[in-house]
Amino acid sequence: QVQPVESGGGLVQAGGSLRLSCAASGGTFNRYKIGWFRQAPGKEREFVAAITATGMGIRYAESAKGRFTISRDNNKNTISLQMNNLKPEDTATYYCAVDVRDTLTLTQTVGAYFYWGQGTQVTVSS
């Protein structure tokens, strides 16, 4: 099985930036769609962004548009989430997830992603 491993979380002030990375353990992500999700205490896990296997198709949550950028480098087998202009409401554990289905549509549905990393904590102070 392909296991995502997230890194890059930390503590930043509002308006700051972080770059999260997702690496593959036990295989390659290159043929799979990848999603970033986040979960804050007491809240449901929510969609942030997703990217197709080629990197040509991208989808963002409304909260992420204009501030976050998802990208992938299939030569390095990594997926990144660049987060700019961070807000306190962005505070959450961020997860990288793998959609192994052979479909073209990028989905926001948590259940469509079969393999999940352990998460990396992002804390944004006011």
Side-chain angles (χ1 to χ4, degrees), residues 1-5 22-34 72 77 79 96-100 113-117:
Q1 294 183 348
V2 180
Q3 179 66 51
V5 181
C22 178
S25 177
T28 177
F29 292 147
N30 288 356
R31 68 173 180 166
Y32 300 128
K33 294 169 285 184
I34 304 295
R72 69 190 303 160
N77 196 24
I79 296 87
C96 179
V98 182
D99 181 359
V100 302
Y113 295 82
F114 297 98
Y115 304 110
W116 296 79

Side-chain angles (χ1 to χ4, degrees), residues 39-46 89:
Q39 188 167 23
K43 294 185 177 181
E44 298 289 332
R45 189 166 298 187
E46 67 173 342
E89 52 263 43

Side-chain angles (χ1 to χ4, degrees), residues 50-118:
I51 189 167
T52 61
T54 65
M56 296 182 65
I58 292 173
R59 184 176 184 178
Y60 294 105
E62 286 297 318
S63 61
K65 289 181 179 178
R67 300 189 299 126
F68 295 2
T69 302
I70 188 172
S71 62
R72 69 190 303 160
D73 185 342
N74 285 348
N75 291 328
K76 298 180 179 179
N77 196 24
T78 58
I79 296 87
S80 296
L81 183 69
Q82 178 67 44
M83 305 188 295
N84 298 325
N85 192 25
L86 285 162
K87 304 174 181 180
E89 52 263 43
D90 295 318
T91 296
T93 301
Y94 283 71
Y95 298 91
C96 179
V98 182
D99 181 359
V100 302
R101 301 173 304 161
D102 189 16
T103 60
L104 297 177
T105 302
L106 294 172
T107 182
Q108 299 182 111
T109 304
V110 171
Y113 295 82
F114 297 98
Y115 304 110
W116 296 79
Q118 294 299 307

Side-chain angles (χ1 to χ4, degrees), residues 17-29:
S17 299
L18 283 174
R19 186 177 180 88
L20 307 184
S21 294
C22 178
S25 177
T28 177
F29 292 147

